[in-house]
Amino acid sequence: MGKRLKVGVLASGSGTNLQAIIDRSERGELIAEVVCVITNRADAFALERARNHGIPAIHLNHKDFAGRDAYDSEVVAELHAHGVELVVLAGFMRIITPVILNAFPQAVMNIHPALLPSFPGLDAQKQALEHGVKVTGCTVHFVDEGTDTGPIIIQAVVPILADDTVDTLSQRILRQEHRVYPQAIQLFAEGRLTVEGRRVTIIGEHIASDATLINPPA
């Protein structure tokens, strides 16, 4: 196998997106490998997932540092020590500072459970239900200094059903997250993403001009 992109994952929770990425990589469906997992929480199950696959699992308690910049400087040091080329946020519940963004320009990705720019921030699924939209979904984007404001790489659309709850909608969106996050990483690894301002162009992309999703069906 040729050179594989080295991915560092930052997580704070259970790490289901981390698992999806690891599984795709181990099946040979990604020309990328997770080389370290860093979390700010000692009880994050993402650490266990990493250990189960022989991946370095690193706990850095943010309370042990003087501030965000000091913490992120240590994160960068760990990422560099493992040769990371792309940083992937997988439920990392901390604001990313310019310390990380400057160390990895246009090489930090995040996934959000809504069709950005709609419903940024916390409780995106609840926001979508309360607003009464007919579709929502998830968005993989490059990270910038704003909150869920970076250039969009890929989005998946999920229709909202009449009997949806926050939990049922969240689970359906999560299944799409597990599909599109590895896909975005693969595009990055293949060198097929170019960024100009807010627009991300996928080299070689072909979409039918009349492709649509309507909910309820027309």
Side-chain angles (χ1 to χ4, degrees), residues 189-201:
E190 293 172 348
R192 294 177 57 196
L193 301 178
T194 62
V195 184
E196 295 182 11
R198 291 210 46 80
R199 184 178 294 275
V200 177
T201 299

Side-chain angles (χ1 to χ4, degrees), residues 31 36 38 50 56 67 69 74 82 113 121 132-133 143 170 187 191 196-197 201:
I31 51 174
C36 67
I38 301 174
D69 285 357
E74 184 61 25
H82 289 87
V133 296
V143 178
S170 297
L187 290 169
E196 295 182 11
T201 299

